[in-house]
Amino acid sequence: MQLEGEHVFKGPREEVYAMFRDPEVLASALPGTQSLNKIDDQHYEGAMNIRIGPVSGSFSGKLEVADEVAPEKCTLIVEGRGAPGFAKGVGRVEFIDQGDGTTLMKYSGDVQIGGTLASVGQRMIDSVAKSMIKTAFETLDKALEARLAAKAGSAPVEFKAPTEAEFAAAVTKDMASGLKEVAEVRMLFYVIPLILVLVVIAYLLSH
Amino acid sequence: MAGRVFGQSIPRNEDPYLLTGQAKFIDDIELPGMLHAAFYRSDYAHARIKKIDVSEARKLPGVVAVYTAEDFGEFVRPGPLQVPPPTAIKGSVFHARPLMPIAKDKVRYSGEPLAVIIAESRYIAEDAMDYIVADLEPLPAVTDLEKALEPGAPLVHEDLESNLAALVKQERGNYEEAAAKADVVIKKRIVVDRGAGAAMENRGLVVNWDDRAREMTIWATTQAPIPLRNSIAGRLGLFEEQVRVITPFIGGGFGPKIMTSQPDDVLLPIIAMWLKRPIKWIEDRRENFLGTTSERDQIHYAEIALTKDGIILGVKDVFYHNTGAYDPYGMTVPLNTQTHTVSCYEVPNFYTEIRMVFTNEYVVTPVRGAGRPEGVFVMERLMDYAAQELGMDPAEIRRRNLLRKERFPYPTGIIGQDFVEGVLDSGDYPETLRRVMEVIEYEKFRKEIQPQLRAQGKHKGIGIVCFTEGTAVGPYEGARVTVGANGKVTVATGISTQGQGHFTVFAQIAAEQLGVDVKDVKVVTGDTGHFHWGAGTFASRGMGVAGTAVYNAAVKVRKKALEFGARFLGVSEDEVELCDGKVCVKGDPSRSMPLGEIALKANPTRGTIPPGVEPGLEATAYFGPPYGATGAGAVAMIVDVDPETMAVNIEKFAIVHDCGTVVNPLLLEGQVMGGVHMGIGNAFYEKIKYDENGQLLTASLMDYLIPQATDMPKEMVVEHLETPSPLNPLGMKGVGEAGAIPTPACFMQALEDALYEYRLQIDETPLNPSLLWEMVQKAPKK
């Protein structure tokens, strides 16, 4: 399965990349993490709960960050498995300075999923994934705004990460509203959230 | 009494139990101390097993035991094959790789069991799965039938040189010579994808080992109770008589429940012996999709050679058949495809080649139709392409090529699933076509109605196809008919019942011979404690084979009743007759004796039976045909397609079917309609989809769509032609699969006709609205 997408962040590339490397911020975008362990700078492992349609359960995974050229790009290699099945993926993330103070983030990858996740959850994954990504980017946009405001020393912009329940509610609401087209997200197929989720786990670890 | 019940539309004896919820199904069985089983299944389609750690699962309160392949030691081994290899076919290659009950060393399909959990409840057993850690090393999976045979493809069975499971070539005449002389040769690639049996009730097994009596009782949803008993007894080293298999009421079979030597029936009996407690396993729907067999999945490279007048000179068909990860059911399905491809037409030259392929998908075994729909789909599509090429009417090209009735019995030269050369025993194929055209008003639709509709911009099309159905194959079945002292009759036979109505039709056969009321005949099927010889319920053979055994036994009992009755009444045998449950003296009804009284007196303890005479009003008889009886028919349908949504509405469906002598028209109509429902599913709704990594993507009824009542034809006409088969005394042929066989082919022809301006050539089934829409987008519009 192929996946691909992009998102424009309203901030300079260095700031966006720093945020992307801040596991606490990323974790806030995709809650559900149960535990995290750092193996070394490039390797992490952790566990989290996932829920996709009728499929739920705990998931443990490994992540490798490869080919990192800060603040331009990196490759994420993830592998996770648990009662709901398994996922294996390679994702490439790229940050492009657009010259107008904004940064274009592009991601693409290949993912394989299996087990209950594929056989029963499959019909939900596409829509859940789109919705999760949309909600996650909304969170990241706010986080970036807060960070930039703090740095400029202006009046602080309040940023509070959504709880797992709030996040789930947002996803549900979004799905119920008929999944309006999200312009920035051109998901070709499934499961970017799994990758993001594992990214989160890993980066949380590094602190 | 003759003619009183046989051939009549008698309501079903079993319906009062079923319709009021009184019938006993497998999940209704509760035994004291009963434990529950669940299978922990592989998420990977192809992987090497490094370690399966079940230690944490064993610690969960309520878990009694958890077993992996190692725990079973030598007990876990492949097989046996349920159907023998095709050695009767010269030059055939077959690599037997029977099913493994639990994965050992390697996983070959997603859903293959890795561990079995026994717990106090199913809830606990399923919870325990979360504590099992399976360390598997994933391997590349094989799912594409053609790529699977390319050099370098990953091997499902590494001890074989390739993924080729079997190669069988059969030919009559010489196709290449015929093609060289033909005016037209058409070549197509045709795909028939996979569908499930999808019975309303999933599979299940309850086993009780009585350690003191040394007896095992097994309740199972099987179509083959006697083979199941024999395989379990053999594996456990018990006498067959120590194992009793009982089938309760079963909510549909459709083929997959014929399988034995599966994880449940291999592993649970021995666990029940170890633990000395009863065990229940009820399959859930996801397991049913993952671990119950399914069918179709063939890719055909087919050719037809004709004269310019549309006369067939020859047909060639080389096809890939997916057997899945193992081939426990031999070659029944692809052999059925070979025997059904050209069977209703005069095809002097026919070459057919099976390339059976191992893949990392679950096993393929017969599902209602069992290879026949694939053959018929290929041939009927070729006929349509030929008609288009030659500018002929689809009905006319068929009429010109159908076998004439004077050709029977017609040896086909092709060896089938029963390993004997196919012989078409009887029929009148052109008459079924003529009558179905009449019922659907074919000429009127084509010449009057359709031109007007098209002028109004409507998209209504008609399809018409012909087919045969090989049925009632051997080896044999048996039956015992007993008259009790209460005057009622028991019929026991070795096959089992999944809803066909055996409790009524077998009763009709016996009642007819013994002159009793149908309601006074109790039929017992699927209980090895009552009858323990036979093969099972498959290949539309219940009526033709087991029904004939019932007839043979009832005839013997009738003879015995007249003989004993005459003796007890003090007259000679030719002076008595059967009258309303009694033996009467002809012309003097006051001198009579009820059957029950004769049965009582026929007990030797009463001292009335001379030495050497078999006691009781009872007889056992068997029947085995030399080859199967072949049913046939023609179907036609009118569909209305919405070109914007590609929703298809079947307005009218007509079938004229010939299954020989009709025993019960009401039940027959039900069988045909049920088959048509399945055929509609195979045409436009039901599809089992594996992704390229061998992951099953359709493991719930949300993703695997079964046609609903509203998807059935708005009007349906089922008519019968009765050409008795010479192969059994009642002239019966089977009908269980008839509706499923021709329907996808007819549906596609009707779609092409409805969307005529796009000139579609639909070379695959099943479709769905999206696929049809894509085809229309790609089509060069007229």
Side-chain angles (χ1 to χ4, degrees):
Chain A
M1 286 181 292
Q2 304 289 309
L3 56 97
E4 181 179 56
E6 57 186 47
H7 181 78
V8 176
F9 287 104
K10 289 178 184 139
R13 183 163 72 170
E14 284 72 18
E15 288 298 328
V16 172
Y17 197 84
M19 178 183 72
F20 188 74
R21 295 235 40 180
D22 182 342
E24 282 182 38
V25 174
L26 273 171
S28 71
L30 287 163
T33 308
Q34 300 297 301
S35 69
L36 291 167
N37 293 300
K38 179 177 178 176
I39 298 167
D40 59 41
D41 282 348
Q42 271 73 45
H43 298 87
Y44 309 89
E45 61 182 28
M48 70 174 306
N49 286 330
I50 64 157
R51 177 180 291 277
I52 293 175
V55 183
S56 66
S58 64
F59 216 77
S60 62
K62 290 178 192 162
L63 173 110
E64 184 189 343
V65 184
D67 309 330
E68 185 176 16
V69 184
E72 289 173 23
K73 62 181 184 181
C74 63
T75 299
L76 310 170
I77 301 157
V78 292
E79 202 180 324
R81 56 172 82 171
F86 68 86
K88 268 170 59 178
V90 178
R92 286 162 292 276
V93 187
E94 198 182 346
F95 297 88
I96 298 158
D97 186 343
Q98 304 215 101
D100 58 356
T102 66
T103 304
L104 175 67
M105 174 191 171
K106 285 184 168 183
Y107 58 85
S108 65
D110 299 302
V111 176
Q112 277 183 33
I113 58 165
T116 317
L117 212 52
S119 64
V120 181
Q122 182 262 345
R123 69 195 305 270
M124 306 291 290
I125 284 174
D126 195 29
S127 47
V128 170
K130 279 179 182 162
S131 182
M132 281 177 82
I133 287 171
K134 182 189 161 201
T135 309
F137 280 130
E138 282 170 2
T139 309
L140 290 176
D141 283 343
K142 282 184 200 156
L144 183 62
E145 197 185 338
R147 288 166 75 98
L148 292 173
K151 200 170 184 185
S154 58
V157 174
E158 195 182 337
F159 169 69
K160 190 168 138 282
T163 64
E164 192 177 349
E166 284 167 348
F167 183 80
V171 169
T172 308
K173 187 181 159 200
D174 191 58
M175 288 181 69
S177 69
L179 286 168
K180 296 187 196 88
E181 190 64 30
V182 184
E184 308 94 311
V185 180
R186 290 204 320 265
M187 276 279 299
L188 294 185
F189 292 102
Y190 326 134
V191 193
I192 183 83
L194 291 176
I195 287 201
L196 289 179
V197 149
L198 290 158
V199 171
V200 168
I201 295 168
Y203 279 92
L204 267 180
L205 256 187
S206 58
H207 283 243
Chain B
M1 291 292 139
R4 194 182 68 162
V5 292
F6 189 87
Q8 301 299 304
S9 286
I10 289 170
R12 306 202 314 170
N13 276 348
E14 53 268 54
D15 281 348
Y17 300 99
L18 290 165
L19 298 178
T20 58
Q22 304 301 304
K24 187 176 196 169
F25 289 87
I26 192 147
D27 204 17
D28 296 322
I29 293 165
E30 296 292 341
L31 302 171
M34 190 166 74
L35 299 170
H36 296 263
F39 291 95
Y40 176 84
R41 297 170 182 278
S42 169
D43 285 339
Y44 292 93
H46 198 193
R48 219 169 293 289
I49 300 172
K50 290 162 86 179
K51 184 173 168 41
I52 301 165
D53 183 354
V54 298
S55 55
E56 290 303 311
R58 283 182 176 141
K59 290 178 195 162
L60 192 71
V63 169
V64 175
V66 183
Y67 304 96
T68 64
E70 312 183 344
D71 300 309
F72 294 99
E74 286 303 300
F75 185 77
V76 161
R77 54 182 182 269
L81 280 183
Q82 203 169 337
V83 173
T87 44
I89 303 168
K90 226 171 74 181
S92 62
V93 175
F94 178 77
H95 299 295
R97 289 297 177 276
L99 194 61
M100 275 293 282
I102 187 167
K104 197 177 194 171
D105 308 327
K106 189 171 151 173
V107 165
R108 294 190 173 86
Y109 63 91
S110 68
E112 185 156 12
L114 294 169
V116 53
I117 302 152
I118 309 293
E120 296 291 345
S121 79
R122 177 66 177 256
Y123 291 100
I124 296 170
E126 295 209 7
D127 283 352
M129 289 192 197
D130 287 357
Y131 297 89
I132 294 177
V133 183
D135 187 4
L136 306 178
E137 180 197 334
L139 300 168
V142 188
T143 55
D144 182 300
L145 295 188
E146 294 175 81
K147 285 184 189 155
L149 294 186
E150 288 171 6
L155 293 175
V156 179
H157 297 277
E158 283 152 19
D159 56 325
L160 294 175
E161 282 175 11
S162 79
N163 290 311
L164 185 76
L167 184 67
V168 174
K169 301 173 183 178
Q170 300 200 62
E171 184 162 25
R172 71 173 184 235
N174 185 320
Y175 172 78
E176 297 303 337
E177 278 177 18
K181 287 182 219 145
D183 296 322
V184 184
V185 175
I186 294 162
K187 302 182 183 185
K188 291 294 278 190
R189 180 180 187 271
I190 298 172
V191 176
V192 180
D193 218 331
R194 204 188 253 222
M200 200 187 297
E201 187 195 27
N202 292 326
R203 297 191 306 114
L205 189 102
V206 178
V207 50
N208 185 35
W209 169 247
D210 185 331
D211 199 50
R212 287 172 186 269
R214 312 292 297 169
E215 281 172 2
M216 182 174 279
T217 308
I218 290 169
W219 291 264
T221 54
T222 180
Q223 292 173 229
I226 294 160
L228 181 69
R229 180 204 61 168
N230 295 350
S231 67
I232 291 171
R235 207 173 286 116
L236 297 176
L238 299 173
F239 287 104
E240 281 77 9
E241 289 70 24
Q242 279 175 284
V243 180
R244 180 180 177 191
V245 171
I246 302 170
T247 60
F249 272 103
I250 299 175
F254 310 116
K257 288 177 182 168
I258 195 75
M259 283 292 293
T260 65
S261 299
Q262 300 194 96
D264 46 295
D265 68 82
V266 173
L267 304 180
L268 301 182
I270 191 150
I271 296 173
M273 287 178 91
W274 288 340
L275 299 176
K276 300 183 173 54
R277 284 178 71 179
I279 298 172
K280 177 190 270 188
W281 170 70
I282 303 293
E283 181 185 61
D284 70 23
R285 186 59 68 180
R286 179 169 175 262
E287 284 187 289
N288 183 264
F289 281 111
L290 285 170
T292 283
T293 57
S294 54
E295 199 222 293
R296 321 284 192 246
D297 211 350
Q298 294 180 351
I299 298 170
H300 291 252
Y301 287 89
E303 295 183 35
I304 188 167
L306 310 100
T307 68
K308 59 184 185 311
D309 301 323
I311 302 300
I312 302 169
L313 299 176
V315 170
K316 179 179 176 182
D317 183 27
V318 175
F319 66 99
Y320 296 79
H321 171 79
N322 185 3
T323 187
Y326 302 96
D327 54 5
Y329 212 77
M331 302 204 60
T332 297
V333 173
L335 286 175
N336 271 347
T337 305
Q338 284 195 319
T339 50
H340 286 74
T341 306
V342 300
S343 73
C344 55
Y345 300 109
E346 189 84 54
V347 181
N349 303 288
F350 175 46
Y351 176 83
T352 172
E353 178 177 326
I354 302 167
R355 296 174 183 173
M356 191 160 96
V357 183
F358 288 118
T359 60
N360 292 114
E361 296 180 7
Y362 195 48
V363 171
V364 167
T365 71
V367 172
R368 195 179 208 169
R372 301 171 185 87
E374 292 95 312
V376 168
F377 189 79
V378 167
M379 186 63 188
E380 294 300 309
R381 294 279 61 209
L382 288 177
M383 294 297 273
D384 292 335
Y385 303 142
Q388 287 167 18
E389 178 77 25
L390 296 166
M392 284 177 72
D393 182 276
E396 177 58 19
I397 194 169
R398 286 169 170 82
R399 195 190 61 76
R400 288 189 191 179
N401 289 288
L402 281 173
L403 282 172
R404 308 284 133 187
K405 70 174 178 184
E406 54 275 11
R407 296 286 271 144
F408 299 104
Y410 180 80
T412 65
I414 305 293
I415 292 172
Q417 60 156 324
D418 50 355
F419 303 126
V420 291
E421 182 190 347
V423 178
L424 305 177
D425 57 294
S426 60
D428 188 349
Y429 304 164
E431 178 62 8
T432 60
L433 178 66
R434 190 193 65 76
R435 272 180 58 186
V436 89
M437 288 175 75
E438 208 172 273
V439 173
I440 202 98
E441 299 184 288
Y442 188 84
E443 296 296 336
K444 187 177 170 197
F445 182 85
R446 276 256 185 265
K447 292 187 175 125
E448 295 172 34
I449 300 170
Q450 195 173 45
Q452 288 174 23
L453 291 169
R454 284 185 177 171
Q456 295 163 22
K458 297 222 169 97
H459 291 85
K460 264 189 212 188
I462 193 165
I464 190 158
V465 305
C466 303
F467 71 103
T468 61
E469 180 194 5
T471 73
V473 295
Y476 76 96
E477 289 298 335
R480 187 179 62 247
V481 172
T482 309
V483 180
N486 59 1
K488 296 189 180 184
V489 179
T490 305
V491 173
T493 176
I495 66 165
S496 68
T497 300
Q498 300 81 42
Q500 297 89 338
H502 295 146
F503 302 109
T504 309
V505 284
F506 293 163
Q508 282 177 267
I509 291 172
E512 177 78 12
Q513 290 308 312
L514 297 173
V516 299
D517 195 301
V518 176
K519 292 206 180 317
D520 287 336
V521 182
K522 177 180 158 60
V523 176
V524 179
T525 67
D527 185 342
T528 64
H530 283 260
F531 200 87
H532 68 130
W533 291 104
T537 310
F538 59 94
S540 301
R541 65 197 289 281
M543 282 311 295
V545 185
T548 302
V550 171
Y551 170 80
N552 288 346
V555 167
K556 280 164 100 173
V557 172
R558 176 192 173 96
K559 190 170 174 294
K560 223 166 161 182
L562 291 171
E563 185 187 320
F564 289 170
R567 187 198 307 266
F568 299 145
L569 289 166
V571 295
S572 72
E573 261 178 72
D574 45 3
E575 288 175 90
V576 291
E577 62 184 359
L578 283 171
C579 59
D580 207 15
K582 293 183 291 236
V583 171
C584 308
V585 175
K586 286 178 188 165
D588 184 4
S590 65
R591 293 172 67 200
S592 68
M593 185 175 282
L595 287 177
E597 199 179 327
I598 298 172
L600 189 69
K601 280 179 180 278
N603 183 329
T605 60
R606 308 276 161 180
T608 51
I609 297 296
V613 173
E614 284 184 18
L617 272 194
E618 179 175 293
T620 300
Y622 296 88
F623 175 73
Y627 49 85
T630 299
V635 302
M637 70 169 96
I638 294 172
V639 300
D640 186 4
V641 184
D642 178 338
E644 292 198 3
T645 64
M646 294 299 163
V648 178
N649 186 357
I650 305 174
E651 293 202 337
K652 187 168 181 177
F653 189 104
I655 176 165
V656 176
H657 184 262
D658 185 350
C659 61
T661 309
V662 175
V663 182
N664 185 323
L666 182 72
L667 271 64
L668 174 57
E669 197 171 340
Q671 275 284 10
V672 172
M673 285 185 176
V676 169
H677 176 264
M678 200 149 203
I680 291 170
N682 288 158
F684 208 56
Y685 298 91
E686 304 183 40
K687 182 167 179 168
I688 286 191
K689 172 83 183 151
Y690 281 92
D691 75 6
E692 68 279 10
N693 301 308
Q695 289 296 324
L696 178 62
L697 302 181
T698 49
S700 80
L701 292 174
M702 293 185 291
D703 297 301
Y704 186 85
L705 302 182
I706 292 173
Q708 302 182 359
T710 48
D711 302 316
M712 286 292 280
K714 299 293 163 286
E715 186 189 350
M716 197 155 168
V717 185
V718 182
E719 289 198 359
H720 309 292
L721 182 71
E722 292 194 46
T723 314
S725 171
L727 296 174
N728 60 69
L730 294 175
M732 301 181 293
K733 304 169 188 174
V735 71
E737 301 163 89
I741 295 168
T743 301
C746 190
F747 188 88
M748 299 315 165
Q749 190 193 114
L751 280 189
E752 288 174 354
D753 188 45
L755 298 164
Y756 65 100
E757 70 264 48
Y758 302 102
R759 294 183 178 183
L760 299 179
Q761 287 204 335
I762 301 173
D763 50 18
E764 64 178 280
T765 190
L767 293 188
N768 56 48
S770 308
L771 263 176
L772 183 57
W773 190 83
E774 276 175 32
M775 283 180 174
V776 166
Q777 296 312 304
K778 283 182 203 150
K781 193 168 174 167
K782 204 187 262 180

